[in-house]
Amino acid sequence: MTSRLTVDDLQLVEAVARHGSVGAAAKELLIAQPSASRRLLTLERRLSTKLFDRDTTGARATPAGRELARHAAQLLSDLDALPDQVLAAVDTPTLAVGTIQALSPMVFTALEIELDSVSVRPEVDHGPVLLQQVHEGSLDAAIITIAQQAVIPRGLQRTIIGQSPLVIVLPKGAADLAEGSRPFAEQTVLYSTIDLAGELLHQRLSALGALPRPGATTEATLRIARHHRCPALVPELVARWYAARGDRLVPSPMPGQVTVSLVSRPPQPSALTRALPRITQRVLGTSWPAKPRDSALRPDSQG
């Protein structure tokens, strides 16, 4: 039997999770409680997992039930908004553009300013997911940092927007780098590269005397570094966007940079093509097109 979910399934799970009661959910959905209970039981059998623990006091979502209810709420909200979005598209050109979490503040701020005559539908996800969405046509374009390191689906085109060198951020109170071949001298160094070079970067930091620790996000990396007054290694565009009073930026003792690329189906959306120089300036602080650097820190550069 298929495990594909219907809108009725989503509405039932979302309502039961929200009310904590099958009876209250059934009343809201204008169905009989026995019918709601049977539908819920059938759904659990189809999914081969229990969604709610039910007794005389109500219905409590299991971990699986909470996860399904969370997604159901988002999907139902999207469905509710769809008619207005369709009608809005008739009057206003729309571009669906995706990017990664680390770039989203810079990218969407730039798009909002530079594409003032276009409605931008933003999407934030991991690079490989965004590539697939562009390939499938659910996104018009993606601005990502792995286009030079990953296999690009056939039929897509990629344009290098620019490159941001890796820099060391020394928060207020952090010691200067040491002289010589081990500039970090057993210091904890937090790092976040926002591309696929993390493992290689970890090895190179260790070779320079550091005790490297990956950060969960670029913003978190800088916040934790400031708290512990230790160095952080991040792309320059991130260091400047999240700059705080007292931060000092010094060149990285190892070569490397993050390459930011625009990936789309050909032809590239004309609105993006026209605005690309200005978007580049806002995101990277450099002119476009930028000349590629030879010191890119990539996983395939080992050995």
Side-chain angles (χ1 to χ4, degrees), residues 236-250:
E236 185 180 37
L237 69 92
V238 171
R240 295 195 181 282
W241 182 268
Y242 293 111
R245 186 184 298 272
D247 284 354
R248 291 179 291 148
L249 268 62
V250 299

Side-chain angles (χ1 to χ4, degrees), residues 110-239:
L111 294 179
E112 181 70 24
I113 295 171
E114 302 300 343
L115 298 180
D116 54 355
S117 62
V118 176
S119 175
V120 176
R121 179 170 66 81
E123 181 72 26
V124 177
D125 214 316
H126 299 295
V129 176
L130 296 172
L131 284 174
Q132 189 59 37
Q133 290 176 337
V134 175
H135 182 59
E136 294 170 350
S138 57
L139 284 179
D140 295 303
I143 296 176
I144 57 175
T145 57
I146 65 165
Q148 308 304 111
Q149 302 168 319
V151 176
I152 301 297
R154 188 170 182 175
L156 300 187
Q157 67 179 40
R158 55 187 169 188
T159 302
I160 294 179
I161 294 177
Q163 294 167 315
S164 184
L166 297 177
V167 297
I168 299 293
V169 178
L170 295 175
K172 184 177 181 180
D176 291 331
L177 302 188
E179 300 289 338
S181 61
R182 294 171 63 83
F184 295 111
E186 302 300 319
Q187 287 189 80
T188 295
V189 178
L190 299 173
Y191 67 90
S192 180
T193 65
I194 67 175
D195 63 5
L196 301 179
E199 183 177 349
L200 176 60
L201 189 59
H202 191 104
Q203 295 171 4
R204 291 187 174 180
L205 282 170
S206 296
L208 293 174
L211 303 174
R213 285 176 49 194
T217 66
T218 50
E219 183 179 9
T221 296
L222 292 172
R223 287 182 179 275
I224 295 171
R226 292 181 190 118
H227 178 75
H228 291 289
R229 298 180 181 179
C230 67
L233 181 59
V234 296
E236 185 180 37
L237 69 92
V238 171

